[in-house]
Amino acid sequence: MSMALSVRAREVAPFLAMEVMERGMAMAREGSPVIQLGVGEPDFDAPPEAIAAATQSLACGETHYTDSRGLRELREAIAADCLRRRGVRVDPDQVLVTNGTSPAILLTLSVLVNPGDEVIMATPHYPCYPNMVAVCGGRSVLVPTRPEDGFLLDVDRVRAAITKRTKAILVASPANPTGTVQPREVVEALAALGVPLLSDEIYDGLVFEGSEVTSPLGMLDDCFVLDGFSKRYAMTGFRLGYVIAPKSAMRALQSLQQNLFISVAHFVQRAGVAALEHGQPHVDHMREVYDQRRRRLVEGVRALGFGVPRAPTGAFYVLADARHLGAGRRPDPSTDSASLSLAFDLLDRAHVALGPGRDFGEAAEGFLRFSYATSLDAIDEALGRLERALA
Ligand SMILES: Cc1ncc(COP(=O)(O)O)c(C=O)c1O
């Protein structure tokens, strides 16, 4: 008898941008260099102070478990950073340190969602959100957003999506894959809907053209901020994040953390303290460089005929309309998604790896996500290759 995998395991869809990236890596190993514009991996190093702090911590023998909620020093530094960035005072006891923002999202959904409950979110959306909701037995209710509106959330549509089973609204601003920053009035209106709000602020700090991130923290009692060091500090591999939660949810979050993850590595937490203390100039520098790349990429992608009605003002992605290209000249028979076919086709012909829109929900089918977390030279080279391939 063959082993049957759980329904839950079968429900979780693969991350298609990773599939394109992995095929691109295989091509590179065979001698055809591929430019990777498909994934959200900063090409910057982590702040040197963070690396030094982690190294020193290991050398000092900090190689054991810590308090499951995280080092007091780190939680205090996160609370101080919260006051600085959001203007909101939180108690360090409202902070739970996690192995990246992903576990912060999963733990938060786990303490809120019962089987059959609903979580409302915008679409196009970060691919993992509905998968995490599904792992908790919940159902994602997707509220469409449109490129013509810069993918801004329509609060009336969110309100109309609320039912008795709604447990939370999950918002990311700036968002992946759209780069959209939700304006203050949208965040305030969402906070007033009477539903717990989960605010993924992992791209806060990476904003352009004067746009500002508004956090709902402090606007409503039932607010959970999901955040981490991966993007702002280019520390993806450290696996460090946190949730700032209402006090009433902290005990449940802590119990889950103890059972599922125990604690975050001590030396990684030391790196987090150093990043918060010394990393701001590094963040400012990265932001400036990202902005140059963003402008070049938006201009170049538009010149190639892709639709970008409104330039994104946050994160490091451009979600471009490629529907005029269909599934590409050589549709990949192994996929039933036009955007995945197109991404494979462009990978074959231009040696450029892009994120297929299908990853981000049906609303993004026919779109491609370009990441500018890579050098200007690579962006220029990729645009040239795409131009030749599309000619
Ligand atoms: C919107 C969003 N949230 C969360 C994450 C997960 O980040 P982490 O590396 O901190 O787990 C990502 C990663 O791409 C993201 O884009």
Side-chain angles (χ1 to χ4, degrees), residues 100-103 105 126 129 172 176 200 202-203 230-231 239-240 317:
T101 309
S102 311
I105 303 169
Y126 177 53
Y129 291 156
N176 175 6
D200 182 341
I202 189 171
Y203 293 100
S230 289
K231 313 291 171 158
R239 309 309 305 132
L240 186 60
Y317 308 107

Side-chain angles (χ1 to χ4, degrees), residues 118 120 141-143 155-164 166:
E118 296 171 357
I120 298 174
V141 176
L142 305 178
V143 173
V155 180
D156 288 334
R157 295 188 83 157
V158 176
R159 188 181 293 107
I162 297 173
T163 71
K164 284 201 192 96
T166 305

Side-chain angles (χ1 to χ4, degrees), residues 106-299:
L106 184 61
L107 289 179
T108 302
L109 289 170
S110 303
V111 300
L112 292 176
V113 174
N114 286 314
D117 283 346
E118 296 171 357
V119 177
I120 298 174
M121 64 188 77
T123 186
H125 53 265
Y126 177 53
C128 308
Y129 291 156
N131 290 333
M132 291 199 203
V133 171
V135 163
C136 297
R139 203 174 73 79
S140 296
V141 176
L142 305 178
V143 173
T145 61
R146 306 183 319 149
E148 309 82 89
D149 305 328
F151 298 104
L152 289 186
L153 253 178
D154 177 343
V155 180
D156 288 334
R157 295 188 83 157
V158 176
R159 188 181 293 107
I162 297 173
T163 71
K164 284 201 192 96
R165 306 271 357 212
T166 305
K167 266 299 164 70
I169 300 168
L170 173 50
V171 196
S173 175
N176 175 6
T178 58
T180 299
V181 181
Q182 299 295 339
R184 171 166 285 276
E185 54 277 19
V186 169
V187 178
E188 284 175 350
L190 291 172
L193 290 174
V195 174
L197 208 50
L198 276 45
S199 179
D200 182 341
E201 299 177 17
I202 189 171
Y203 293 100
D204 182 21
L206 304 180
V207 285
F208 319 103
E209 289 184 29
S211 58
E212 277 179 29
V213 173
T214 306
S215 173
L217 192 67
M219 292 183 190
L220 73 167
D221 291 341
D222 295 335
C223 180
F224 295 75
V225 171
L226 313 161
D227 205 342
F229 294 71
S230 289
K231 313 291 171 158
R232 189 175 314 116
Y233 293 103
M235 288 171 61
T236 45
F238 282 75
R239 309 309 305 132
L240 186 60
Y242 54 90
V243 46
I244 301 174
K247 281 195 175 146
S248 56
M250 286 308 294
R251 188 70 188 131
L253 283 167
Q254 183 185 3
S255 300
L256 274 179
Q257 167 81 353
Q258 288 168 342
N259 280 279
L260 300 181
F261 305 111
I262 301 189
S263 68
V264 174
H266 200 148
F267 64 97
V268 167
Q269 298 189 59
R270 289 277 184 230
V273 174
L276 290 171
E277 273 176 16
H278 307 286
Q280 194 54 44
H282 196 67
V283 177
D284 294 341
H285 166 70
M286 288 189 285
R287 203 196 62 77
E288 266 172 42
V289 177
Y290 282 135
D291 194 20
Q292 287 171 11
R293 298 171 177 180
R294 178 184 69 96
R295 283 184 267 126
R296 178 78 58 86
L297 188 61
V298 170
E299 191 187 304

